[in-house]
Amino acid sequence: MRQSLVSLAVWVLFPLVATAAQDPLPDEVAELYVAYQQAEQSGDLAATLEAADAVYRAARRARVDDVTLGALAENLGYYASASQDFERAYDAWREAAERADDNAMTAGYRWQNASVAAYRLGDHNDARRCAMNASEDFADVEALPAEAMNIAIQAHVFAAQLNAERGSISASGRAAQRALDLFAQVDRPYDRFTALSYFYVGLDELTDEDFLEAAVKLHIAHDLFRALESGEDEIGTAAALSSYSRRRLLRQISMNSENRRYQARAEEFDDEMEAALAANPLHEQLAHLNPDEEEDEILPDGAIDAVPARRNPPRYPSDAANRGIEGFIALRYTVEADGSTSDVEVIYSAPSGYFDEAAIGAITDWRYEPATIDGVAVRREGVETQFNFELAN
């Protein structure tokens, strides 16, 4: 299953125009600023964009103070964004963000718009860097006003998305958790940002092998995607990863328990998961969407599960290493009666396509002591594993 998450590259624009300067504006700049105001009042978008550009460039030549230049750059970024002039928008928003004068909320707003402009230009690496700046700046604001909550949530989730695309799952999870923290502070109906926040936090917990928390977060993400009628890829991915997390934990239990004690411990886990879900207010709202409970896999009496005999890890793909790309992949496969592996399939990978071949190739070479029933070797289907591809610092 490939990753398929729709872009969240949306502008967070407001008519926040500069009307004051730290120092008196030079005559040329003041005259051009008046012309800009007149163009703005006329409602002519193209004329306002050119007027905003003219006053901004004049202010740069005149070397006006940073706060004023930042505000004029914001005006230019606003109208360039509205005109879909992405190159001018990106340059202006970035300049504005760099001149935010230690105002974290203003800087976060500007970095977020710079990120969207970079994304629209196809520069996903710079979009990610700008998005992380926005997320960090909003996180530094001690008490966000209500009107800034939605902008901050969008910035955190966009940073989470771009980091996941890059394979930086831990950074993605941190940004998404910031969004969830803000959701807890504001009365806001659930939406796509809510669903993606739960998904990316759950994915981060999955890579850390915190399977209980991952199963809970991904379960809620799946229900949200269904309620929002998202694409089948998103609904299916969240469902697959939630089930995968649950099975991985149950398999851990089975490997560390005698078979006769497995069912009791599995029931304890189900109680823990249900309690964690019940503690989340969204779960009750979405309860009508919950699918039927999965049947737990229990090995029959006389069965012994397959045991690894040779499992070498996958090689780090050189292209990904050279580009500094990290990632995560979960896979499912069969152990044959002769101890070989077959039917290897990808459950989920991030970023998509970079690590699939290396992971599948490694598992194909693995060997097991086969599963047996009453001493007779049998096929063992549905074996699952995961790899975290991380570069040394």
PDB file of all heavy atoms in Angstrom, residues 187-210:
ATOM      1  N   ASP A 187     -12.528  25.009  21.106  1.00  0.00           N
ATOM      2  CA  ASP A 187     -13.765  24.350  20.704  1.00  0.00           C
ATOM      3  C   ASP A 187     -13.852  24.425  19.188  1.00  0.00           C
ATOM      4  O   ASP A 187     -14.248  25.442  18.616  1.00  0.00           O
ATOM      5  CB  ASP A 187     -14.963  25.043  21.355  1.00  0.00           C
ATOM      6  CG  ASP A 187     -16.277  24.337  21.037  1.00  0.00           C
ATOM      7  OD1 ASP A 187     -16.217  23.198  20.534  1.00  0.00           O
ATOM      8  OD2 ASP A 187     -17.356  24.930  21.280  1.00  0.00           O
ATOM      9  N   ARG A 188     -13.510  23.341  18.546  1.00  0.00           N
ATOM     10  CA  ARG A 188     -13.352  23.352  17.088  1.00  0.00           C
ATOM     11  C   ARG A 188     -13.846  22.016  16.545  1.00  0.00           C
ATOM     12  O   ARG A 188     -13.449  20.968  17.037  1.00  0.00           O
ATOM     13  CB  ARG A 188     -11.870  23.535  16.761  1.00  0.00           C
ATOM     14  CG  ARG A 188     -11.478  23.700  15.306  1.00  0.00           C
ATOM     15  CD  ARG A 188      -9.965  23.915  15.255  1.00  0.00           C
ATOM     16  NE  ARG A 188      -9.496  24.283  13.934  1.00  0.00           N
ATOM     17  CZ  ARG A 188      -9.151  23.428  12.993  1.00  0.00           C
ATOM     18  NH1 ARG A 188      -9.247  22.125  13.228  1.00  0.00           N
ATOM     19  NH2 ARG A 188      -8.704  23.848  11.818  1.00  0.00           N
ATOM     20  N   PRO A 189     -14.726  22.017  15.552  1.00  0.00           N
ATOM     21  CA  PRO A 189     -15.189  20.738  15.017  1.00  0.00           C
ATOM     22  C   PRO A 189     -14.036  19.980  14.362  1.00  0.00           C
ATOM     23  O   PRO A 189     -13.098  20.594  13.841  1.00  0.00           O
ATOM     24  CB  PRO A 189     -16.243  21.143  13.981  1.00  0.00           C
ATOM     25  CG  PRO A 189     -15.909  22.559  13.614  1.00  0.00           C
ATOM     26  CD  PRO A 189     -15.335  23.172  14.853  1.00  0.00           C
ATOM     27  N   TYR A 190     -14.094  18.654  14.431  1.00  0.00           N
ATOM     28  CA  TYR A 190     -13.017  17.883  13.819  1.00  0.00           C
ATOM     29  C   TYR A 190     -13.048  18.078  12.311  1.00  0.00           C
ATOM     30  O   TYR A 190     -14.092  18.297  11.689  1.00  0.00           O
ATOM     31  CB  TYR A 190     -13.099  16.402  14.193  1.00  0.00           C
ATOM     32  CG  TYR A 190     -14.330  15.666  13.741  1.00  0.00           C
ATOM     33  CD1 TYR A 190     -14.466  15.230  12.426  1.00  0.00           C
ATOM     34  CD2 TYR A 190     -15.361  15.365  14.635  1.00  0.00           C
ATOM     35  CE1 TYR A 190     -15.578  14.530  12.012  1.00  0.00           C
ATOM     36  CE2 TYR A 190     -16.481  14.658  14.227  1.00  0.00           C
ATOM     37  CZ  TYR A 190     -16.585  14.244  12.918  1.00  0.00           C
ATOM     38  OH  TYR A 190     -17.696  13.550  12.507  1.00  0.00           O
ATOM     39  N   ASP A 191     -11.865  18.017  11.718  1.00  0.00           N
ATOM     40  CA  ASP A 191     -11.733  18.203  10.277  1.00  0.00           C
ATOM     41  C   ASP A 191     -10.524  17.422   9.793  1.00  0.00           C
ATOM     42  O   ASP A 191      -9.981  16.584  10.507  1.00  0.00           O
ATOM     43  CB  ASP A 191     -11.622  19.698   9.928  1.00  0.00           C
ATOM     44  CG  ASP A 191     -10.439  20.378  10.620  1.00  0.00           C
ATOM     45  OD1 ASP A 191      -9.580  19.675  11.199  1.00  0.00           O
ATOM     46  OD2 ASP A 191     -10.364  21.626  10.575  1.00  0.00           O
ATOM     47  N   ARG A 192     -10.115  17.702   8.584  1.00  0.00           N
ATOM     48  CA  ARG A 192      -8.996  16.981   7.991  1.00  0.00           C
ATOM     49  C   ARG A 192      -7.704  17.177   8.787  1.00  0.00           C
ATOM     50  O   ARG A 192      -6.881  16.261   8.903  1.00  0.00           O
ATOM     51  CB  ARG A 192      -8.802  17.445   6.548  1.00  0.00           C
ATOM     52  CG  ARG A 192      -7.693  16.736   5.835  1.00  0.00           C
ATOM     53  CD  ARG A 192      -7.719  17.019   4.332  1.00  0.00           C
ATOM     54  NE  ARG A 192      -6.607  16.358   3.697  1.00  0.00           N
ATOM     55  CZ  ARG A 192      -6.524  15.058   3.507  1.00  0.00           C
ATOM     56  NH1 ARG A 192      -7.516  14.276   3.916  1.00  0.00           N
ATOM     57  NH2 ARG A 192      -5.476  14.519   2.923  1.00  0.00           N
ATOM     58  N   PHE A 193      -7.508  18.376   9.335  1.00  0.00           N
ATOM     59  CA  PHE A 193      -6.315  18.632  10.135  1.00  0.00           C
ATOM     60  C   PHE A 193      -6.307  17.759  11.386  1.00  0.00           C
ATOM     61  O   PHE A 193      -5.255  17.279  11.816  1.00  0.00           O
ATOM     62  CB  PHE A 193      -6.238  20.117  10.512  1.00  0.00           C
ATOM     63  CG  PHE A 193      -6.008  21.022   9.329  1.00  0.00           C
ATOM     64  CD1 PHE A 193      -7.055  21.703   8.750  1.00  0.00           C
ATOM     65  CD2 PHE A 193      -4.739  21.176   8.794  1.00  0.00           C
ATOM     66  CE1 PHE A 193      -6.853  22.529   7.650  1.00  0.00           C
ATOM     67  CE2 PHE A 193      -4.520  21.994   7.698  1.00  0.00           C
ATOM     68  CZ  PHE A 193      -5.586  22.672   7.117  1.00  0.00           C
ATOM     69  N   THR A 194      -7.483  17.543  11.978  1.00  0.00           N
ATOM     70  CA  THR A 194      -7.575  16.656  13.141  1.00  0.00           C
ATOM     71  C   THR A 194      -7.166  15.238  12.762  1.00  0.00           C
ATOM     72  O   THR A 194      -6.374  14.591  13.449  1.00  0.00           O
ATOM     73  CB  THR A 194      -9.014  16.629  13.691  1.00  0.00           C
ATOM     74  OG1 THR A 194      -9.610  17.913  13.594  1.00  0.00           O
ATOM     75  CG2 THR A 194      -9.024  16.162  15.133  1.00  0.00           C
ATOM     76  N   ALA A 195      -7.715  14.751  11.658  1.00  0.00           N
ATOM     77  CA  ALA A 195      -7.432  13.381  11.227  1.00  0.00           C
ATOM     78  C   ALA A 195      -5.945  13.185  10.958  1.00  0.00           C
ATOM     79  O   ALA A 195      -5.341  12.193  11.401  1.00  0.00           O
ATOM     80  CB  ALA A 195      -8.245  13.056   9.977  1.00  0.00           C
ATOM     81  N   LEU A 196      -5.339  14.120  10.248  1.00  0.00           N
ATOM     82  CA  LEU A 196      -3.918  13.987   9.918  1.00  0.00           C
ATOM     83  C   LEU A 196      -3.043  14.112  11.160  1.00  0.00           C
ATOM     84  O   LEU A 196      -1.987  13.463  11.250  1.00  0.00           O
ATOM     85  CB  LEU A 196      -3.527  15.022   8.875  1.00  0.00           C
ATOM     86  CG  LEU A 196      -4.079  14.752   7.474  1.00  0.00           C
ATOM     87  CD1 LEU A 196      -3.799  15.929   6.544  1.00  0.00           C
ATOM     88  CD2 LEU A 196      -3.487  13.481   6.882  1.00  0.00           C
ATOM     89  N   SER A 197      -3.456  14.929  12.122  1.00  0.00           N
ATOM     90  CA  SER A 197      -2.686  15.042  13.365  1.00  0.00           C
ATOM     91  C   SER A 197      -2.632  13.698  14.079  1.00  0.00           C
ATOM     92  O   SER A 197      -1.563  13.242  14.505  1.00  0.00           O
ATOM     93  CB  SER A 197      -3.305  16.099  14.284  1.00  0.00           C
ATOM     94  OG  SER A 197      -3.258  17.379  13.694  1.00  0.00           O
ATOM     95  N   TYR A 198      -3.779  13.048  14.220  1.00  0.00           N
ATOM     96  CA  TYR A 198      -3.795  11.729  14.857  1.00  0.00           C
ATOM     97  C   TYR A 198      -2.977  10.723  14.048  1.00  0.00           C
ATOM     98  O   TYR A 198      -2.264   9.885  14.614  1.00  0.00           O
ATOM     99  CB  TYR A 198      -5.231  11.233  15.022  1.00  0.00           C
ATOM    100  CG  TYR A 198      -5.901  11.747  16.266  1.00  0.00           C
ATOM    101  CD1 TYR A 198      -6.793  12.812  16.224  1.00  0.00           C
ATOM    102  CD2 TYR A 198      -5.625  11.181  17.515  1.00  0.00           C
ATOM    103  CE1 TYR A 198      -7.392  13.293  17.368  1.00  0.00           C
ATOM    104  CE2 TYR A 198      -6.230  11.657  18.670  1.00  0.00           C
ATOM    105  CZ  TYR A 198      -7.106  12.718  18.586  1.00  0.00           C
ATOM    106  OH  TYR A 198      -7.691  13.199  19.732  1.00  0.00           O
ATOM    107  N   PHE A 199      -3.070  10.801  12.728  1.00  0.00           N
ATOM    108  CA  PHE A 199      -2.352   9.852  11.885  1.00  0.00           C
ATOM    109  C   PHE A 199      -0.840   9.990  12.080  1.00  0.00           C
ATOM    110  O   PHE A 199      -0.140   8.987  12.294  1.00  0.00           O
ATOM    111  CB  PHE A 199      -2.710  10.073  10.411  1.00  0.00           C
ATOM    112  CG  PHE A 199      -1.998   9.122   9.484  1.00  0.00           C
ATOM    113  CD1 PHE A 199      -2.516   7.861   9.242  1.00  0.00           C
ATOM    114  CD2 PHE A 199      -0.813   9.483   8.878  1.00  0.00           C
ATOM    115  CE1 PHE A 199      -1.852   6.972   8.398  1.00  0.00           C
ATOM    116  CE2 PHE A 199      -0.139   8.601   8.042  1.00  0.00           C
ATOM    117  CZ  PHE A 199      -0.669   7.349   7.796  1.00  0.00           C
ATOM    118  N   TYR A 200      -0.330  11.211  12.022  1.00  0.00           N
ATOM    119  CA  TYR A 200       1.126  11.393  12.102  1.00  0.00           C
ATOM    120  C   TYR A 200       1.666  11.119  13.506  1.00  0.00           C
ATOM    121  O   TYR A 200       2.772  10.607  13.651  1.00  0.00           O
ATOM    122  CB  TYR A 200       1.505  12.796  11.630  1.00  0.00           C
ATOM    123  CG  TYR A 200       1.331  12.992  10.144  1.00  0.00           C
ATOM    124  CD1 TYR A 200       0.553  14.036   9.641  1.00  0.00           C
ATOM    125  CD2 TYR A 200       1.923  12.117   9.233  1.00  0.00           C
ATOM    126  CE1 TYR A 200       0.388  14.211   8.282  1.00  0.00           C
ATOM    127  CE2 TYR A 200       1.752  12.284   7.873  1.00  0.00           C
ATOM    128  CZ  TYR A 200       0.995  13.340   7.395  1.00  0.00           C
ATOM    129  OH  TYR A 200       0.822  13.500   6.047  1.00  0.00           O
ATOM    130  N   VAL A 201       0.898  11.449  14.542  1.00  0.00           N
ATOM    131  CA  VAL A 201       1.319  11.086  15.897  1.00  0.00           C
ATOM    132  C   VAL A 201       1.332   9.567  16.041  1.00  0.00           C
ATOM    133  O   VAL A 201       2.276   8.980  16.597  1.00  0.00           O
ATOM    134  CB  VAL A 201       0.408  11.730  16.954  1.00  0.00           C
ATOM    135  CG1 VAL A 201       0.717  11.165  18.341  1.00  0.00           C
ATOM    136  CG2 VAL A 201       0.606  13.251  16.970  1.00  0.00           C
ATOM    137  N   GLY A 202       0.300   8.906  15.523  1.00  0.00           N
ATOM    138  CA  GLY A 202       0.255   7.442  15.581  1.00  0.00           C
ATOM    139  C   GLY A 202       1.397   6.800  14.821  1.00  0.00           C
ATOM    140  O   GLY A 202       1.989   5.812  15.278  1.00  0.00           O
ATOM    141  N   LEU A 203       1.730   7.357  13.670  1.00  0.00           N
ATOM    142  CA  LEU A 203       2.841   6.818  12.888  1.00  0.00           C
ATOM    143  C   LEU A 203       4.158   6.949  13.651  1.00  0.00           C
ATOM    144  O   LEU A 203       4.981   6.024  13.646  1.00  0.00           O
ATOM    145  CB  LEU A 203       2.923   7.551  11.546  1.00  0.00           C
ATOM    146  CG  LEU A 203       3.985   7.069  10.560  1.00  0.00           C
ATOM    147  CD1 LEU A 203       3.763   5.602  10.197  1.00  0.00           C
ATOM    148  CD2 LEU A 203       3.976   7.941   9.308  1.00  0.00           C
ATOM    149  N   ASP A 204       4.355   8.075  14.303  1.00  0.00           N
ATOM    150  CA  ASP A 204       5.569   8.272  15.110  1.00  0.00           C
ATOM    151  C   ASP A 204       5.627   7.251  16.246  1.00  0.00           C
ATOM    152  O   ASP A 204       6.683   6.653  16.512  1.00  0.00           O
ATOM    153  CB  ASP A 204       5.587   9.695  15.665  1.00  0.00           C
ATOM    154  CG  ASP A 204       6.846  10.018  16.454  1.00  0.00           C
ATOM    155  OD1 ASP A 204       7.900   9.404  16.176  1.00  0.00           O
ATOM    156  OD2 ASP A 204       6.782  10.893  17.337  1.00  0.00           O
ATOM    157  N   GLU A 205       4.503   7.021  16.918  1.00  0.00           N
ATOM    158  CA  GLU A 205       4.476   6.036  18.008  1.00  0.00           C
ATOM    159  C   GLU A 205       4.707   4.620  17.475  1.00  0.00           C
ATOM    160  O   GLU A 205       5.331   3.788  18.144  1.00  0.00           O
ATOM    161  CB  GLU A 205       3.150   6.144  18.759  1.00  0.00           C
ATOM    162  CG  GLU A 205       3.057   7.432  19.561  1.00  0.00           C
ATOM    163  CD  GLU A 205       1.670   7.748  20.078  1.00  0.00           C
ATOM    164  OE1 GLU A 205       0.682   7.227  19.518  1.00  0.00           O
ATOM    165  OE2 GLU A 205       1.569   8.532  21.034  1.00  0.00           O
ATOM    166  N   LEU A 206       4.250   4.367  16.263  1.00  0.00           N
ATOM    167  CA  LEU A 206       4.487   3.061  15.653  1.00  0.00           C
ATOM    168  C   LEU A 206       5.975   2.842  15.388  1.00  0.00           C
ATOM    169  O   LEU A 206       6.515   1.763  15.661  1.00  0.00           O
ATOM    170  CB  LEU A 206       3.689   2.953  14.355  1.00  0.00           C
ATOM    171  CG  LEU A 206       3.843   1.669  13.537  1.00  0.00           C
ATOM    172  CD1 LEU A 206       3.526   0.442  14.383  1.00  0.00           C
ATOM    173  CD2 LEU A 206       2.937   1.723  12.312  1.00  0.00           C
ATOM    174  N   THR A 207       6.652   3.856  14.867  1.00  0.00           N
ATOM    175  CA  THR A 207       8.087   3.698  14.606  1.00  0.00           C
ATOM    176  C   THR A 207       8.864   3.526  15.911  1.00  0.00           C
ATOM    177  O   THR A 207       9.917   2.887  15.929  1.00  0.00           O
ATOM    178  CB  THR A 207       8.659   4.897  13.833  1.00  0.00           C
ATOM    179  OG1 THR A 207       8.542   6.090  14.614  1.00  0.00           O
ATOM    180  CG2 THR A 207       7.943   5.091  12.504  1.00  0.00           C
ATOM    181  N   ASP A 208       8.352   4.085  17.005  1.00  0.00           N
ATOM    182  CA  ASP A 208       8.981   3.896  18.320  1.00  0.00           C
ATOM    183  C   ASP A 208       8.563   2.579  18.978  1.00  0.00           C
ATOM    184  O   ASP A 208       8.954   2.307  20.120  1.00  0.00           O
ATOM    185  CB  ASP A 208       8.616   5.057  19.252  1.00  0.00           C
ATOM    186  CG  ASP A 208       9.318   6.347  18.872  1.00  0.00           C
ATOM    187  OD1 ASP A 208      10.342   6.276  18.170  1.00  0.00           O
ATOM    188  OD2 ASP A 208       8.839   7.424  19.264  1.00  0.00           O
ATOM    189  N   GLU A 209       7.719   1.805  18.281  1.00  0.00           N
ATOM    190  CA  GLU A 209       7.218   0.519  18.765  1.00  0.00           C
ATOM    191  C   GLU A 209       6.396   0.657  20.048  1.00  0.00           C
ATOM    192  O   GLU A 209       6.347  -0.242  20.876  1.00  0.00           O
ATOM    193  CB  GLU A 209       8.359  -0.494  18.940  1.00  0.00           C
ATOM    194  CG  GLU A 209       9.069  -0.789  17.628  1.00  0.00           C
ATOM    195  CD  GLU A 209      10.033  -1.955  17.708  1.00  0.00           C
ATOM    196  OE1 GLU A 209      10.144  -2.588  18.773  1.00  0.00           O
ATOM    197  OE2 GLU A 209      10.680  -2.241  16.680  1.00  0.00           O
ATOM    198  N   ASP A 210       5.733   1.803  20.193  1.00  0.00           N
ATOM    199  CA  ASP A 210       4.743   1.977  21.251  1.00  0.00           C
ATOM    200  C   ASP A 210       3.403   1.553  20.634  1.00  0.00           C
ATOM    201  O   ASP A 210       2.571   2.382  20.255  1.00  0.00           O
ATOM    202  CB  ASP A 210       4.698   3.436  21.712  1.00  0.00           C
ATOM    203  CG  ASP A 210       3.797   3.644  22.912  1.00  0.00           C
ATOM    204  OD1 ASP A 210       3.040   2.713  23.255  1.00  0.00           O
ATOM    205  OD2 ASP A 210       3.836   4.742  23.505  1.00  0.00           O
TER     206      ASP A 210
END
